[in-house]
């Protein structure tokens, strides 16, 4: 009674490939809907910290989607608005996202600079939870 209750190696691989093929479009569709919803909210938002968070969230979604040009656009807008509002958590989050983009693109010097900037602000804020997520 060998391998009782387990799927054979070949069957497992086939099931995994089928799962990936059929679930990936579903995930992509969900991501697209999230991005569309965030963009809709962005159109009616005021120049406040909520808008900075929306821009941050859009950037993060585009990072997950590996659309780094769009991600960088929204993250830089979030950084600009957060700086203008002196919204330190927004500055730290935007810097962390920009660092992640540059890291993914292989631009390690720029990534490190943004990660350090994010870390410095998070240390000032005493934000231990988010300090742990910085990719240095």
């Amino acid at each position: 009674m060998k391998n009782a209750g387990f799927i054979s190696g070949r069957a497992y691989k086939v099931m995994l490939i089928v799962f990936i093929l059929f679930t990936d479009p579903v995930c992509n569709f969900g991501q697209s809907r999230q991005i569309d919803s965030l963009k809709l909210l962005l159109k009616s938002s005021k120049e406040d910290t909520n808008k900075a968070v929306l821009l941050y969230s859009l950037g993060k979604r585009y990072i997950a989607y590996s659309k780094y040009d769009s991600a960088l656009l929204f993250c830089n807008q979030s950084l600009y608005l957060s700086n203008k509002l002196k919204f330190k958590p927004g500055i730290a989050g935007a810097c962390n996202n920009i660092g992640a983009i540059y890291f993914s693109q292989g631009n390690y010097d720029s990534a490190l600079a943004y990660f350090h900037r994010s870390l410095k602000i998070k240390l000032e804020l005493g934000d231990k939870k988010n300090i742990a997520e910085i990719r240095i």
Side-chain angles (χ1 to χ4, degrees), residues 12-80:
Y12 177 77
K13 288 177 187 173
V14 170
M15 285 178 52
L16 183 61
I17 290 170
V18 169
F19 176 77
I20 290 169
L21 288 175
F22 285 102
T23 59
D24 190 48
V26 171
C27 292
N28 289 344
F29 179 70
Q31 282 280 347
S32 179
R33 287 183 56 199
Q34 289 175 348
I35 288 171
D36 291 342
S37 296
L38 290 169
K39 283 183 175 179
L40 190 62
L41 288 171
L42 190 62
K43 286 182 182 179
S44 61
S45 65
K46 297 181 273 182
E47 293 283 308
D48 59 8
T49 57
N50 289 327
K51 184 172 186 172
V53 171
L54 281 172
L55 290 164
Y56 163 87
S57 297
L58 273 164
K60 195 157 181 115
R61 296 284 180 233
Y62 277 114
I63 291 169
Y65 224 34
S66 298
K67 295 192 175 191
Y68 300 121
D69 290 340
S70 296
L72 195 56
L73 174 75
F74 286 107
C75 290
N76 277 320
Q77 288 177 9
S78 177
L79 180 59
Y80 174 79

Side-chain angles (χ1 to χ4, degrees), residues 101-122:
I101 293 164
Y102 285 136
F103 182 86
S104 296
Q105 293 176 327
N107 187 344
Y108 303 119
D109 290 336
S110 293
L112 192 57
Y114 278 96
F115 287 144
H116 275 266
R117 186 171 172 198
S118 179
L119 177 61
K120 181 180 175 190
I121 294 167
K122 289 178 181 185

